[in-house]
Amino acid sequence: MLKHRCGLARRSWDRFGFVVLIAVPVIVLQVLPGPHTLDDAYITFRYARNLANGLGFVYNPGQPVLGTTTPLYTLWLAVLSMLTSSSDFPWLALLTNAVCDIITVVLLRRLFRALGLSPMAAAVIAIAYLSNPARIGVALGTMETSVDVMCIVVALDAYIRRDRPTLAALFSALAVLVRLDSVLLPLLLAAHSVLAKRRMPWREGLIFGIIVGPWLLFAQAYFGSVIPNSVVAKTHAYLLPPNSAFTSILYYLITRSSIDPMRWPLWLNGLMLTGILIAYVVGARMILKIQARAATLVAYAPLYAAGLSLGNPFIFVWYYLPLVLVVDSVCLFGVWTILSHTRSVVRPVVVGALMAGSLIVQFSGLGPFLDKWPVNLQHRELLYRRAAAMLHDAIRPGVTLAASEIGVLGYDLGKAVIIDTVGLVSPQAIPYLLKTPLPGQPVYAVPDEVIAMLKPDYFVTLEAFIRPTLLESPDFLNTYQLIGTIDTDELGSRGLLIYRRMNVR
């Protein structure tokens, strides 16, 4: 009887206790601080708000341009807004992310338990991702990454642990609709089915088509393209040196910092990279011995890194998280395997020390904790919020406002017609994007032609964005009046500048 009760207690802990354990830090670190929304997220929120208000899947009413790469997240937030009668999209996104992160961590633990790890070791891997400061920061930033990673983990869990390829196909399709870079997942699942199982995944392909197909048809008919305009704009705006993405990925995996990747000496970078590679190979080999279907997991990280490297985009920190989740999990599995012949008390001590060291490295790469919480660009967001407050009374329906960072301005000034000088929601700006970056910055000057052609009523920009172009243009200086300056040195600027066209009253 006692043994039976102990078994019930263990199963109850396995089902519910761990959920409660991880829910507490998620609430404390991700919910109680409130949204720390990033500029990109505000673009999605304006789409969702317009959709919920019956204005269509548009950023500017009457202009069907696909400027978001996360259609499913947009649709979810619009539906959630209608169901809850709430228009506070940052909070809706924050709570969504918190729930998705809890699901991800719970499934991560179950997956690695099924791969042969002890309850403690599996919990360590799950908690390693839970405690990742970049993950917390992106979730606080109310980006779609938490939903994307959850869909990826659910799909991998369904395929590896439960051997349910149709369920895996369903969630891999949802992951693609959350974020386009997740297209690697269904390709991996299909390849494994063909190469390892020797069967064509017809049913899985049908499920994938049923989920993704309607969106593709709608996007082609409504927007005129299935490729988001934001992807096209970024390929024109971000002209990076060859192998830039590859080196960024390597440095991020080693130093866990996207702020100053060269801050470590070369020998230390090499040592850390060697350790990561050894741990990953050992972990991958052991995982594959236990479960052949886990090839989809261990192959995900190198193929994801290879895909980004070949595409060579400018990589924002939220694109690292699916990679980091797999790399850290497999590496910790490898470390646990290497230590398998040591005394049982040694393993948790060593792995705990590695986790603590990793957290110290990650937080140190972010600068002062309260000043530079992971990927939190609140300095810039708050500047644009002040600019939006200054323009609030002047913005009437139909008034045009141009900016090169449109998120906060577009969300706070919902009546304005927004012109994006980078082209994310304004395709007419793309042909004029300059190809010469500002020295030392991954940002580009605002082209004279965009402002001259589109003639916005108001124009808000960091001074650095127009220093080599519009500030040297007599036509611009004779047409636009500087009506406000907000002090800042962001990106080397001498203020956030607010302009009004001369004949606008």
Side-chain angles (χ1 to χ4, degrees), residues 86-405:
S86 171
S87 58
D88 195 337
F89 287 93
W91 266 104
L92 294 176
L94 186 75
L95 295 175
T96 295
N97 290 350
V99 172
C100 289
D101 286 332
I102 291 172
I103 294 172
T104 296
V105 174
V106 169
L107 288 182
L108 200 60
R109 175 175 175 265
R110 291 183 181 178
L111 174 59
F112 279 91
R113 281 283 292 118
L115 291 174
L117 284 183
S118 67
M120 176 182 291
V124 165
I125 286 176
I127 292 172
Y129 181 68
L130 176 72
S131 59
N132 186 305
R135 182 204 66 78
I136 299 169
V138 172
L140 281 171
T142 60
M143 295 292 290
E144 73 279 356
T145 308
S146 294
V147 182
D148 178 51
V149 171
M150 182 202 72
C151 290
I152 292 172
V153 171
V154 172
L156 288 172
D157 179 74
Y159 193 81
I160 298 169
R161 181 173 69 92
R162 304 171 68 183
D163 194 16
R164 296 183 60 184
T166 53
L167 182 62
L170 169 64
F171 276 92
S172 69
L174 294 178
V176 171
L177 292 179
V178 175
R179 213 166 68 189
L180 288 177
D181 59 286
S182 297
V183 71
L184 170 63
L185 180 60
L187 293 176
L188 256 180
L189 296 177
H192 186 268
S193 179
V194 172
L195 298 175
K197 296 184 176 181
R198 301 286 190 248
R199 75 173 185 87
M200 291 298 295
W202 299 116
R203 283 186 304 170
E204 296 91 317
L206 178 62
I207 291 172
F208 184 86
I210 290 172
I211 300 298
V212 176
W215 167 256
L216 297 179
L217 294 173
F218 169 79
Q220 184 63 46
Y222 191 76
F223 303 111
S225 174
V226 299
I227 305 299
N229 186 73
S230 51
V231 173
V232 178
K234 288 176 181 178
T235 60
H236 285 72
Y238 298 136
L239 191 65
L240 300 174
N243 302 318
S244 175
F246 176 71
T247 54
S248 295
I249 290 169
L250 281 185
Y251 279 123
Y252 188 80
L253 287 176
I254 294 166
T255 69
R256 299 306 168 92
S257 172
S258 57
I259 297 174
D260 185 14
M262 297 298 294
R263 65 195 179 96
W264 287 18
L266 184 61
W267 68 267
L268 185 55
N269 286 329
L271 182 64
M272 293 296 295
L273 180 60
T274 301
I276 291 171
L277 290 175
I278 292 173
Y280 196 89
V281 170
V282 171
R285 287 186 63 185
M286 182 57 65
I287 289 172
L288 292 176
K289 284 182 179 179
I290 296 170
Q291 178 54 264
R293 291 191 302 272
T296 50
L297 171 70
V298 300
Y300 191 89
L303 291 178
Y304 185 84
L308 288 178
S309 299
L310 290 172
N312 200 36
F314 180 75
I315 305 177
F316 296 96
V317 70
W318 42 87
Y319 288 105
Y320 290 120
L321 290 181
L323 176 65
V324 166
L325 179 143
V326 176
V327 169
D328 287 0
S329 298
V330 175
C331 282
L332 284 172
F333 197 111
V335 171
W336 203 271
T337 301
I338 292 170
L339 297 174
S340 60
H341 298 297
T342 63
R343 295 174 60 185
S344 59
V345 72
V346 173
R347 277 171 281 170
V349 172
V350 173
V351 173
L354 288 174
M355 284 182 60
S358 175
L359 288 175
I360 292 171
V361 168
Q362 291 178 79
F363 276 108
S364 67
L366 300 167
F369 177 79
L370 295 178
D371 183 50
K372 291 182 179 177
W373 180 251
V375 304
N376 183 355
L377 306 179
Q378 287 297 293
H379 290 296
R380 212 131 88 231
E381 271 74 359
L382 293 175
L383 292 173
Y384 285 113
R385 180 136 287 155
R386 289 174 60 187
M390 292 171 65
L391 289 172
H392 183 270
D393 293 338
I395 299 298
R396 302 176 301 278
V399 168
T400 55
L401 170 67
S404 53
E405 294 180 307

Side-chain angles (χ1 to χ4, degrees), residues 429-484:
I430 293 176
Y432 302 102
L433 293 176
L434 299 184
K435 298 297 185 180
T436 304
L438 299 177
Q441 298 293 346
V443 291
Y444 295 75
V446 176
D448 303 25
E449 297 90 342
V450 172
I451 302 301
M453 176 183 66
L454 300 178
K455 297 180 175 60
D457 298 317
Y458 293 89
F459 177 40
V460 179
T461 180
L462 287 170
E463 181 269 343
F465 292 164
I466 62 171
R467 188 183 303 156
T469 55
L470 293 170
L471 289 183
E472 301 294 328
S473 169
D475 289 342
F476 173 77
L477 297 176
N478 290 332
T479 306
Y480 283 84
Q481 176 187 4
L482 182 65
I483 61 172

